[in-house]
Amino acid sequence: MNAATIENSVFDTIREFNRQQPPNQQIGFEPESVLLGDGGVLDSLGVINLIVAIEQNLRTSMGAQVDLLSEAVGDSGAEKLASIGALAREIHRQLGIET
Amino acid sequence: MTALLLVSDFNLGTLGRYLQNMSTERVVHPVVAPYGQVTQTLLSNPTEKIDTAVVWTRPEAVLPTFSDALALKPVDHRQVILEVEAFADLVLQFAQRVPAVFVVAWTLPSSALDYGMLDYRPGLGLTNLLAQANLTLAERLARAPSVFILNPERWIREAGSNAFSAKLWAAAKSPFGNSVYQTAALAISFSLDGLEGRSRRLIVLDCDNTLWGGVVGEVGWQGVRLGGHDHVGEAFQSFQRGLKALQSRGIQLAVLSKNDEATALDVFDNHSEMILRRNDLAGWRIDWRDKGMNLVELVDELNIGLASVVFIDDMPAERGRISEAFPSVLVPDWPTDPTHYAEALAKLGCFETPTLTTEDRQRSRMYVAERERSVALASASSIADWLRTLGLKVEAAAIGPDSISRATQLLNKTNQLNLSTRRLSEKEFSEWAEAKGHRAWTFRVADRFGDAGLTGLVSVALDGKAAKIVDFVMSCRVMGRGVEKAMLSVAIQHARNAGAEEIVAQYLRTERNGPTLEMMEGSGLDQAEPGLFRWDARKDYAAPEFIDLRAN
């Protein structure tokens, strides 16, 4: 498991997740693509669906256990998971992966 | 736009999103009822116009005793069955207020504890109880032709380890993972297609490396990989078994192959391991021409629209050619490994129909008969002579419980020979036919080559001395044989018997029913103004003398 395989898993999940989103509300794949907070396009069900799907895919595809949902609903959730780049950093932090 | 009401004790918001954003032609407007208010929703009238409702519940939420069973408390299973019947009756009442209802069969939660090796034991096990509950539900709901039970097992199986999510349940009251809802949305969409008579009816197949392994032009029929002690050969045979099974439920099979025709047909005729034979094919085009051109010719010959076609080919270039040229044809991505073919076929799910009639099951034989008829026509001296030699029999019967399903299917699926293109559910059509002054007949057509089955439908509305042909629907399979005149004669005779002085038929143009206008113009009825046909009902209207017409 490394940063690249984690990124692949996250992008696969986003690709699948976008099928439930209208074309103008899909999540981008760039590090600066907004997830939570200002400029975000997801409502609360969308956030939960995406975060849980990312966790689930990481667990089933590479046995990696992370808890992103607790971060998302925590006080600093909007900051820690503000963008795709921030999400990746949080996953790396929880898994102890150096980038 | 299809307005779909989603009724559940849990959060079906995600299903609504998938339905709304599917990349299919169908536009779905999901209306998610407040979750947890299943009984209230089923007892009340929908607040907006609903086309179909989906009722997806957890058994422990709607069957109080099942909830105790899930806690492994001793319960009387008969009490659970009584609760299932009460729930089913609620759905049946609700079904009278919406055109159609899909009820998703119950499943156990992923966290359910059970009795292990005792779990199938009657009177004890949860698995046993759930199976009984679902069977009772199915039997009770079968009373309403507009209620269908959808089986979620495949949705859950395909999602694998991502099927359930305890976290989604805890955070959003949604027990399943996204992929279950995604597959469910597709299955619901296909079921809606089925209700509207828009399901796929023809699978067009390539031969080399699709139906068998290898290139027959190079290795001969004896050399292709099929069956035998060979896992690849076994895989092609499994795929053919799947196709044959679909054919048994009325899906037609045809072949489009770039090959020498005689060489390819040799495999169908001579290879002992072939499951599919030449007579299983509704048609074929086997030559070296472009497959797009051949597909157009083939569907024209079979009187099937491109939107009813699934195209299966191992070659990505051929798939690309067809999907680009004909967006309405379903061209599934196809696995490269033949051992996955049968599974890919089973996953297609696009062949939904609300009924399965004898005509559906015999359709393949009907196409073979049509080929034999064409051969006879080619050797006849004139069309009139040919018609006389056919030995045509037409049997008219008032619509009843035994024919209403097929009649509704014909009404909703027929485009070309359809006077007014009314689309009605079975319930709506049945109610219309029973109303005062209304009468509807079905027509069965047979000749010496075979029985074409129930292929015609006429309905008449009487109002004093005026009569109107409301529906005039005929399958293209019996076109050009004078059957339409036999059908008109039954309607006109009915109007005469009821004392009507005039009978009219108003042609309503659609994009595809041009042949109906031609047929009516050749019927002998007067065209008083464009599209309005009249007959003086005081005069007789005779069926062609070469048709043996029997009216029950």
Side-chain angles (χ1 to χ4, degrees), chain A residues 19-20 43 49 55-56, chain B residues 14 17 21 164 167 182:
Chain A
R19 292 172 193 253
Q20 61 177 268
D43 61 8
N49 275 344
E55 287 182 10
Q56 209 162 19
Chain B
T14 307
R17 289 165 194 225
N21 297 303
F164 296 96
K167 197 169 241 185
Q182 192 179 340

Side-chain angles (χ1 to χ4, degrees), chain A:
Chain A
M1 185 182 353
N2 55 36
T5 55
I6 288 169
E7 184 180 276
N8 285 340
S9 172
V10 170
F11 283 0
D12 283 347
T13 310
I14 292 173
R15 210 169 284 117
E16 281 300 310
F17 171 81
N18 277 340
R19 292 172 193 253
Q20 61 177 268
Q21 294 292 104
N24 61 345
Q25 291 182 22
Q26 301 202 339
I27 302 297
F29 294 88
E30 299 77 25
E32 62 274 14
S33 297
V34 178
L35 276 183
L36 300 184
D38 290 345
V41 293
L42 300 180
D43 61 8
S44 56
L45 181 60
V47 170
I48 293 170
N49 275 344
L50 176 62
I51 298 289
V52 172
I54 288 171
E55 287 182 10
Q56 209 162 19
N57 255 6
L58 285 168
R59 189 172 65 249
T60 53
S61 65
M62 57 188 72
Q65 295 212 25
V66 292
D67 180 6
L68 303 169
L69 191 60
S70 298
E71 297 296 340
V73 299
D75 290 342
S76 54
E79 186 187 326
K80 284 186 173 173
L81 303 179
S83 65
I84 291 291
L87 171 80
R89 284 191 292 279
E90 178 59 23
I91 295 171
H92 296 155
R93 187 190 69 76
Q94 289 194 22
L95 295 175
I97 291 175
E98 291 184 12
T99 54

